[in-house]
C-alpha cells in the first residue's frame, strides 16, 4: 500500500515562493517572503521528537493544557462543550494551536469503517469485521483495510482514528469480539499492527485500543480484571506489544475497566511501567470516552489526554500545577507526546482535505478482504462449490438474505447507504445498538452468478414454508446471524431467534443443506452433523454478498482460517458464564461511570492467565467444535520436508497443492517450550504457541518451500519477580501444518 508523500504544505509554499521571488519585483518578493513558513518546527527534515520539543518551548501553560483534553462528542447529549460543533460530527475534538501551526485533532471512530457518516450526510465503506479480517491471516489484507479507512477518514475531514482493537478474544461472549482480531497474540498483533501502520501512513493519527484487559462489556466501567502479571504479559499485553511495534501508532487508548485494582487509565503498571517503560512507546495515551477518573493519579500514572471532556484534565489539571501537586515536567511530557504524535503521523505537514470518497475502490477492497477472510468449516461430499450443471434449484432461507447482511453495532457501527436495509424505505436511520443490515443481498448476488438456476427465497419465519421450499430444491442455504455490539455481551454462543431449530428442520428436509454464518464471534452448532456445509462469512462488509457468492460458486477458493476457537459448548470455556455485577450496579455497563456510585468490588478472575482460546483447550485436553487455525479449501495441501535453523530461528518446509484447483494455504507453525529447564516454569505448558505463519498461493500440482521466521517474543516466558523476559535454553518443539489441531511436521529448535 502506498504511503502518502510527506511534503508539507508549508514546504511546498516555500518552494513556490522561491520561484516567485526569482522572477518578481522587490515588493512582491517581500510579500511572498513574509508568507514563507520559516518556523523551525515546520522543517520536515527534523525528527518528530525535535519538532515537538521546538513547539513545546513556545507554548503557554494554558495552551499546553488545551492539548490534553477533549471538547465533547458530536452525538452524545451528555458530552457537549463549547467547541463540540468543531468535531465534524465525530467522536472528539482537541483544540490545536493555530498560532504555531499545530492542527486540532478531529477524531472519528473507525473500527471497520468511518462511523456516523450517514448522520452527517456522508458515505463510508464498511470493511469486514476485524475478526473476519484476522481470519485471512494476511498482513497485506490488513494493510489494505487500514489504508482504505485512513483515506476515507481524510476525505471526510478527520485526522485521527479510533480503531485498532487488539484485546484478545479471551471471553468469546464479549460483545466486541467482532472488533478484535481473535485469541492469539501473534496473529492479533500482526493483523492490527499492519492495519494501523497503513492507516496511519495515510496521515491520520493512529490509535490502538482498548489498553488493556477490556475483555468483556458487562460492568465495563468498573469491573476489576484480576490476572497475574505473567498471565497478562504473555497474552493480551503481548498482542498490544506486537501491534504497537509494527504500527508505531501515534496514540493508544486506555480502557474503561480496572486491572488488578486500578482503572486502566490511571494504572501506573500498564501505562508507565509497561507501555512507556518496557515498550518505549513515545506517542500519547488517550482515555476511553469517560474513562478518566482522576487528575493527579491519572497524570502521574501516564494518562496524557482525557476524552472526550475536561473534567479532570482541564481546570483541575491547571489548578494542580499551580498548587505544585503536578510538576510542570509531567505536563511537558504529556504535551510533547501529543505534539510528537501529530508530527509523526503527518497531520501537521499534510492536513486532510475534504473530498468525495472513492466508493468503487471501497467496494473493491472490501470484497478482496472478505474473500480472503471467509472460512469454509464443513464441506461434506464437496457440496460446495455449487455446480450449476448439477444444481438446478436453490432454496435461500432466513437471515434477511433477500435484502442484505448484518453488521456489528456500538461505536464501531458504519452507516449503511440508504439506512437500515431491512426497514421500509425512508425509515432506515441507524441508532446505537440497533441490528443494522447493509443492502448487500446474497440472494441477488447468487442470482447474478447463477442466471440459469432457479433460486427462491423464504424468510424462515414460518418453519413449514421454509421446509417445503427446502424439500423441493436441489440445495438449501440457510443464512444465520449472531448480532453483537459494544455495551453488551452475549448471554451464550447459541444462534439467537430460534435459528438453530430452523436449521435442524431445513436440514431434515434437504440433506444438501448449507449454513452461511454472519457472526461476530464463535457460535455453537447443535445441528452440525446434520448439515452438509458450513461457511463462516463474519460481518461481511460493503461487498460481503459478492465475496460470498464468489466463494459459493467457486470463483474464489476459500482460504480463511479461524482466528478464534469455536467451542462445542460454553461449559468448555474458562468462564461458562460472565459473572453478573452486583444488583445496584447492573445496567451501567456502557454508561459513563457514576462517580457517586458506591465503590464496586465486581471482579473477573482470569485465573486461566495466558491460556486463552486454543491454549486453554489444549491445556485442559478439551476438543473444540472447530479449532483455532482451522479452515477448509476446495483443494487439498500436503506438507513435507521440515528443516529448522536454530541460529536464525527459521523453519523451512514444503507445501504442495495436491488437488485440482488453484488455492491459497495458510501454513501455521507452533512451538512448545523446553522441559523445565528454567525455574520460572516448573510446569511444562500444556499447549503449543503460535510462532509464525505464511499464506501460500499454489496452482494445482505445484509446491513451494517456505521459510517462516519464528518470532522470539512468543517463545519467551515472563518472570514476574525480576520483571523480565526469559528465553529459556533447551529444545523447543516445532510443529507445522494446516491447523492448531493438525500439525503433521515436527522437529526441534535449540536455544543455547
Ligand atoms: C468506546 C470506544 C470508542 C469511544 C468513542 C467508547 O464507548 O469504548 O471504543 O472509541 O467510545 O466513541
Amino acid at each position: 500500500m502506498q504511503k502518502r508523500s510527506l511534503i508539507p504544505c508549508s514546504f511546498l509554499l516555500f518552494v513556490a515562493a522561491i520561484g516567485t521571488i526569482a522572477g518578481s519585483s522587490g515588493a512582491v518578493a517581500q510579500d511572498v517572503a513574509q508568507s514563507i513558513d520559516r518556523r523551525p518546527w515546520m522543517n520536515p527534515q527534523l525528527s518528530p521528537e525535535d519538532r515537538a520539543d521546538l513547539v513545546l518551548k513556545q507554548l503557554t501553560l494554558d495552551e499546553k493544557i488545551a492539548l490534553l483534553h477533549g471538547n465533547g462528542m458530536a452525538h452524545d447529549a451528555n458530552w457537549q462543550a463549547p467547541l463540540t460543533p468543531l468535531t465534524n460530527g465525530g467522536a472528539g475534538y482537541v483544540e490545536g494551536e493555530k498560532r504555531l501551526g499545530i492542527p486540532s485533532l478531529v477524531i472519528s471512530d473507525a473500527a471497520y469503517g468511518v462511523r456516523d457518516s450517514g448522520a452527517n450526510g456522508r458515505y463510508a465503506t464498511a470493511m469486514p469485521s476485524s475478526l473476519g479480517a484476522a481470519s485471512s491471516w494476511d498482513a497485506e489484507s490488513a494493510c489494505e483495510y487500514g489504508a482504505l479507512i485512513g483515506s476515507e477518514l481524510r476525505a471526510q475531514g478527520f485526522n485521527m482514528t479510533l480503531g485498532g482493537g487488539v484485546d484478545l478474544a479471551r471471553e468469546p461472549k464479549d460483545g466486541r469480539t467482532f472488533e478484535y482480531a481473535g485469541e492469539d497474540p501473534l496473529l492479533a498483533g500482526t493483523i492490527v499492527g499492519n492495519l494501523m501502520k497503513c492507516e496511519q501512513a495515510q496521515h491520520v493519527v493512529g490509535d490502538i485500543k482498548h489498553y488493556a484487559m477490556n475483555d468483556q462489556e458487562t460492568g465495563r466501567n468498573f469491573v476489576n480484571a484480576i490476572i497475574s502479571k505473567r498471565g497478562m504479559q504473555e497474552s493480551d499485553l503481548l498482542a498490544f506489544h506486537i501491534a504497537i511495534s509494527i504500527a508505531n501508532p501515534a496514540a493508544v487508548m486506555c480502557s474503561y475497566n480496572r486491572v488488578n485494582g486500578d482503572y486502566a487509565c490511571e494504572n501506573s503498571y500498564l501505562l508507565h511501567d509497561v507501555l512507556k517503560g518496557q515498550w518505549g512507546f513515545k506517542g500519547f495515551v488517550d482515555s476511553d470516552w469517560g474513562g478518566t477518573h482522576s487528575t493527579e493519579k491519572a497524570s502521574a500514572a501516564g494518562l496524557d489526554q482525557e476524552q472526550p471532556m475536561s473534567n479532570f484534565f482541564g481546570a483541575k489539571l491547571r489548578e494542580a500545577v499551580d498548587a505544585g501537586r503536578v510538576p510542570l515536567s509531567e505536563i511537558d511530557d504529556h504535551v510533547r507526546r501529543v505534539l510528537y504524535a501529530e508530527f509523526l503521523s503527518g497531520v501537521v505537514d499534510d492536513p486532510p482535505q475534504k473530498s468525495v470518497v472513492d466508493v468503487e475502490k471501497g467496494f473493491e477492497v472490501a470484497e478482496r478482504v472478505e474473500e480472503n477472510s471467509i472460512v469454509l468449516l464443513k464441506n461434506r461430499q464437496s457440496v460446495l462449490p455449487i455446480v450449476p450443471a448439477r444444481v438446478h434449484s436453490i432454496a435461500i432461507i432466513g437471515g434477511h438474505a433477500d435484502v442484505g447482511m448484518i453488521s456489528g453495532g456500538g461505536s464501531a457501527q458504519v452507516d449503511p447507504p440508504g439506512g437500515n436495509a431491512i426497514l421500509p424505505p425512508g425509515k432506515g436511520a441507524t441508532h446505537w445498538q440497533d441490528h443494522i443490515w447493509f443492502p448487500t443481498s446474497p440472494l441477488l448476488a447468487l442470482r447474478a452468478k447463477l442466471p440459469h438456476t432457479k433460486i427462491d427465497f423464504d424468510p424462515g419465519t414460518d418453519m413449514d414454508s421454509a421446509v417445503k421450499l427446502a424439500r423441493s430444491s436441489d440445495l438449501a442455504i440457510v443464512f444465520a446471524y449472531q448480532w453483537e455490539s459494544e455495551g453488551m455481551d452475549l448471554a451464550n454462543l447459541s444462534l439467537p431467534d430460534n435459528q438453530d431449530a430452523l436449521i435442524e428442520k431445513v436440514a431434515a428436509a434437504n440433506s444438501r443443506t448449507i449454513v452461511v454464518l454472519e457472526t461476530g464471534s464463535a457460535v455453537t452448532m447443535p445441528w452440525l452433523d446434520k448439515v452438509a456445509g458450513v461457511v463462516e462469512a463474519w460481518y461481511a462488509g460493503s461487498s460481503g454478498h459478492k465475496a460470498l457468492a464468489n466463494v459459493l460458486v467457486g470463483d474464489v477458493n476459500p482460504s480463511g482460517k479461524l482466528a478464534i476457537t469455536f467451542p462445542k459448548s460454553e461449559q468448555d470455556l474458562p468462564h461458562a458464564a460472565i459473572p453478573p455485577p452486583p444488583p445496584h450496579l447492573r445496567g451501567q455497563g456502557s454508561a459513563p461511570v457514576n462517580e457517586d456510585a458506591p465503590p464496586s468490588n465486581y471482579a473477573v478472575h482470569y485465573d486461566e492467565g495466558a491460556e486463552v482460546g486454543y491454549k486453554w483447550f489444549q491445556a485442559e485436553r478439551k476438543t473444540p467444535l472447530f479449532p483455532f487455525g482451522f479452515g477448509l479449501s476446495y483443494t487439498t495441501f500436503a506438507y513435507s520436508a521440515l528443516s529448522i535453523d536454530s541460529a536464525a530461528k527459521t523453519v523451512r518446509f514444503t507445501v504442495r497443492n495436491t488437488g485440482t484447483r488453484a488455492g491459497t494455504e495458510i501454513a501455521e507453525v507452533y512451538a512448545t517450550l523446553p522441559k523445565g529447564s528454567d525455574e520460572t516454569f516448573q510446569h511444562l505448558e500444556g499447549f503449543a504457541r503460535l510462532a509464525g505463519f505464511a499464506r501460500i498461493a499454489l496452482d494445482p500440482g505445484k509446491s513451494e518451500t517456505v521459510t517462516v521466521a519464528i518470532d522470539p517474543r512468543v517463545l519467551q516466558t515472563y518472570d514476574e519477580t525480576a520483571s523480565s523476559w526469559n528465553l529459556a535454553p533447551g529444545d523447543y518443539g516445532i510443529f507445522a501444518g494446516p491447523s492448531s489441531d493438525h500439525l503433521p511436521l515436527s522437529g526441534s529448535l535449540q536455544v543455547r
Side-chain angles (χ1 to χ4, degrees), residues 227-293:
I227 181 166
S228 70
K229 285 182 180 164
R230 177 174 177 190
M232 94 176 120
Q233 284 275 1
E234 292 181 20
S235 60
D236 295 50
L237 296 193
L238 182 56
F240 273 97
H241 186 204
I242 293 173
I244 288 170
S245 58
I246 295 172
N248 191 20
V252 167
M253 181 194 288
C254 51
S255 56
Y256 284 129
N257 53 291
R258 299 170 196 246
V259 179
N260 293 333
D262 285 330
Y263 283 110
C265 290
E266 54 185 43
N267 193 308
S268 177
Y269 176 71
L270 287 178
L271 303 180
H272 179 270
D273 299 356
V274 178
L275 176 66
K276 295 179 175 179
Q278 192 184 320
W279 304 342
F281 172 68
K282 292 198 279 190
F284 71 95
V285 176
D286 56 324
S287 74
D288 199 344
W289 267 226
T292 308
H293 298 275

Side-chain angles (χ1 to χ4, degrees), residues 605-688:
H605 294 262
Y606 291 134
D607 295 338
E608 73 279 6
E611 287 178 6
V612 177
Y614 66 95
K615 294 174 180 166
W616 166 263
F617 277 79
Q618 289 179 8
E620 296 289 309
R621 298 184 182 281
K622 293 182 188 213
T623 308
L625 189 65
F626 291 109
F628 173 80
F630 177 81
L632 300 170
S633 162
Y634 296 148
T635 186
T636 47
F637 300 97
Y639 285 69
S640 64
L642 178 80
S643 66
I644 296 165
D645 182 335
S646 292
K649 294 201 179 52
T650 55
V651 176
R652 255 166 90 80
F653 53 91
T654 303
V655 181
R656 204 162 98 86
N657 182 342
T658 49
T660 53
R661 277 173 185 267
T664 295
E665 169 70 338
I666 297 166
E668 303 166 31
V669 179
Y670 293 81
T672 53
L673 300 186
K675 287 200 181 63
S677 53
D678 181 303
E679 55 186 323
T680 62
F681 52 96
Q682 289 95 9
H683 312 289
L684 187 63
E685 287 179 343
F687 56 85

Side-chain angles (χ1 to χ4, degrees), residues 117 179 301 304 496 502 508 605 626:
S117 44
E179 288 189 57
D304 300 302
L502 175 67
H605 294 262
F626 291 109

Side-chain angles (χ1 to χ4, degrees), residues 383 433 669:
V383 65
Q433 291 192 336
V669 179

